[in-house]
Every structure is written in structure tokens, then in C-alpha cells.
Amino acid sequence: MDEITVLAIETSCDETAVAVVQKNGPTITVLADIVASQVDIHAATGGVVPEVAAREHLQVIGPLIKQVMTAADAKPAALDAIAVTVGPGLMPALSVGVNAARILAYVWKKPLVPVHHLAGHVVSALLRRDPNNIQLYQVPDQTTFPALALIVSGGHTLLLKVTDFLTYEILGTTRDDAAGEAFDKVARLLHLPYPGGPAISKLAQEGDASAYAFTRPMLRSGDLDFSFSGLKTEVLYTVRDLSEQALQAEAANLAASFQQAVVESLVIKTVRAAEQLVPKVVLLAGGVAANELLRTSLAASLAAKNIPLQVAPLELCGDNAIMIGQVGVLAFAGGRATTWQHIDAAARLDIVTMANHQRRR
Ligand code: KG4
Ligand code: ZN
């Protein structure tokens, strides 16, 4: 089978995303895609309330699927499979996407491809987007492996050894908060809106990154793990001692100094992992990969060691269904499909176990 077409669904957190993605040999084409963000709703509560997210997903998912199928000019008969994020993520949110996929698979008599959310982020940086046509992606050949991936999002901070498109080993992870979560929590301390990452990086442009000497956590830990909750507490203690007026005056400096500490900690550990692994390429993806300082600092540090950095396209850093469809067509091509009776959402889902589990099927 040379041409594979999947409908992809992603509802693990606060974006409802649907796409139709097609694989033709080494080329993957996005036929249509939509992301409906709930950011405005969650901004009111300063974070995602899982039940609220689920209700929103449920409200929009039907119309979005119809809209994407129409935009792709795809009839159900043209689909080879339905790919869906099964985890990790917020259980009530994940369940909406998984159940929608399950119902469609039953009614349309299609196989299902369970997708690990983080495999989506990895693949979003692994595939190469055509500079002249943003709907076209090239699947690299095997000479791109081993790759090293830094996945940084609101829920995850992971260094992965990538030995094949869907085969990973965990080299390092966070011991507490994820990098994006730290941005979100510190933003709240600085009275900035949710999501915190974009707000902090914008404000940081007006600040002095050396104004506060926050700790670069875990640098002497000897492993490849991260930790961000201590840094957040340092910011908290600093903010607590400031009057409301002083906080206003210092917010940009605090944002810049905090961002610098997070970025340095991510860059130093990633470079350390790259020295150990000697990968063909380093991949950077996930919501925090949108951070300009992280992109430029990591690129500069790796360039000094002659290791290329491949960053996910900006539009694919946040959650989307294109990356889920990309994994979907690759996994389906590799025979990793199941049926509607055998798929379930899982809030916690190990990326290594999932890859092995899928390979056995
Ligand atoms: O991948 P993503 O959309 O959702 C998860 O799977 O978590 O990542 C969202 C996270 C949020 O924590 C947000 O604050 C962070 O990515 N983020 C950023 C930036 N843009 C988004 N963090 C730092 N700098 C940014 N420019
Ligand atoms: Zn994500």
C-alpha cells in the first residue's frame, strides 16, 4: 500500500485539533487541519480545569471533524484509518477524542491508530517541511538516527534518544514541574495571563536577564534530569518581598532572569546528552520550543559542537492534529493499528512501553 490517508484527532489538553494527513512514499501531505484553542476560557481560571476542557472538546469536536473532512474533500471511504491521541494528558479531555475516534471507527468500519502525544511532538521536529509548500513534509531516511530529542511542553520535559520514528529511550526527565508548567506558574506570580510562556518571553524582552541570579537547577546532578520547582520557589520568595509597586517595576527583570535560568538549564543538559550520545541531529519540540531564547541558545551551543538542530515549525510547537496524523500514517505503515474494541485513553502513558506494546501487535 503506497498511499495512506488518516483522520487524526487530538484532545489531550486544551486544544481540540483535527486533521486529515496523507502519506505517499516519503512524502506526507496535510490535506486539512484545524486547531480550536480553549486558551481564552482557561485564561479566566489561570489554568486548565479538566472537566471544563472536556466539555469544550465535546462541544466542538463533531463540527470540527465535519469541517476538516469537507476541507480535505475526503469521504470516509477514502480513509485508511483514524489516528487519535490516547495519552498522556487530562483524562476527561483525552476521553472525548478517543471516544469520538472509537465511534467513527465503528460506524465507518476503520482501524484505529493509537498515538502517544509525545511521539507527535518528536515527529513534528523529525519531519522536514517543504520551504515552498507548508502542507508538504519529507520523511527523512534512517541515516537521521540516532537523534536526540528535547521535548518541552506544559506537561513534559524529556530528553529522548530516538532510534527510529517511533522508538525511544528516556535519557532524562523532570523531577517535578515541567518547563512549560514553570513558565505558567511564574507568570501567575508576576500577574501575567495564562498561558505563561508567551507572556513571560514577551515581557522578558524589556528586562535584564542578569538582574536576578536565580539558580540553574540540577547542573551538578551528574545525570540528565531537570528540576524547576526550586526555581519557581526562588521567584516566589523574591516576589513576596516586593510591594505591588516594586513588582510592577521589576516584573520584566524577573521574567528575563527566570527565562534565562530555565533556558540555560535546558541547554546545558541537552548539550551534555548530545556529547554522550553523539546524535546525527538534535530535535526540539513542544509548546516551550516556541521560545525564541531557547531556540537561539540551543542552536548556538550545538553549532559550536557541529551538531545540527532541527526545531519543529512554530505552528506545530503547540498541540495540533497534524503531528498526530504524521505519527498516524507512519504507525499505520508499520502495521501498528488496532480496532475500536481495543483502544483506551490513559492519563499516564510511558512512551517507551507504548512503542514496545505497539510493535508486538
Ligand atoms: O505542547 P503544549 O501546547 O501543550 C502541552 O502538551 O503541554 O505546550 C504548552 C506550554 C505552556 O506551558 C506554555 O506556557 C508553553 O508551552 N509555551 C511557552 C512559549 N509558548 C508556549 N513557554 C515558553 N516560551 C514560549 N514562547
Ligand atoms: Zn503537547
Side-chain angles (χ1 to χ4, degrees), residues 263-287:
V263 166
E264 266 181 42
S265 146
L266 290 170
V267 169
I268 289 169
K269 285 288 171 89
T270 307
V271 170
R272 209 177 276 174
E275 284 165 347
Q276 290 173 17
L277 189 66
V278 195
K280 301 282 174 41
V281 63
V282 173
L283 309 171
L284 173 62

Side-chain angles (χ1 to χ4, degrees), residues 149-172:
L150 173 64
I151 306 300
V152 271
S153 72
H156 304 274
T157 308
L158 273 182
L159 272 169
L160 295 171
K161 178 181 176 182
V162 181
T163 50
D164 203 338
F165 294 103
L166 304 174
T167 312
Y168 316 109
E169 267 170 52
I170 297 174
L171 302 176

Side-chain angles (χ1 to χ4, degrees), residues 95-127:
S95 296
V96 175
V98 169
N99 286 325
R102 189 188 262 152
I103 292 165
L104 291 177
Y106 175 75
V107 174
W108 292 345
K109 299 185 175 61
K110 301 290 172 188
L112 282 169
V113 183
V115 176
H116 193 288
H117 182 76
L118 297 177
H121 281 302
V122 172
V123 168
S124 74
L126 197 49
L127 301 191

Side-chain angles (χ1 to χ4, degrees), residues 267 271 274-275 282 295-309:
V267 169
V271 170
E275 284 165 347
V282 173
R295 289 169 167 246
T296 50
S297 308
L298 189 56
S301 299
L302 291 170
K305 300 195 173 294
N306 280 322
I307 303 171
L309 173 70

Side-chain angles (χ1 to χ4, degrees), residues 6 8 21-23 25-30 83 85 113-130 134 136-142 144-145 147-152 158 160-168 281-287 289 310-333 336 351 354-355 358:
V6 304
V21 172
Q22 190 171 67
K23 181 175 179 297
T27 304
I28 292 180
T29 310
V30 177
T85 304
V113 183
V115 176
H116 193 288
H117 182 76
L118 297 177
H121 281 302
V122 172
V123 168
S124 74
L126 197 49
L127 301 191
R128 315 226 163 106
R129 185 156 82 175
D130 187 327
I134 61 163
L136 285 188
Y137 295 80
Q138 281 306 116
V139 181
D141 61 26
Q142 292 290 329
T144 200
F145 303 115
L148 171 69
L150 173 64
I151 306 300
V152 271
L158 273 182
L160 295 171
K161 178 181 176 182
V162 181
T163 50
D164 203 338
F165 294 103
L166 304 174
T167 312
Y168 316 109
V281 63
V282 173
L283 309 171
L284 173 62
Q310 225 166 266
V311 189
L314 203 53
E315 305 87 325
L316 300 194
C317 283
D319 290 343
N320 64 86
I322 293 177
M323 66 184 189
I324 304 306
Q326 290 171 334
V327 172
V329 288
L330 291 169
F332 188 77
R336 298 180 184 195
I351 195 163
M354 173 141 175
Q358 285 186 328

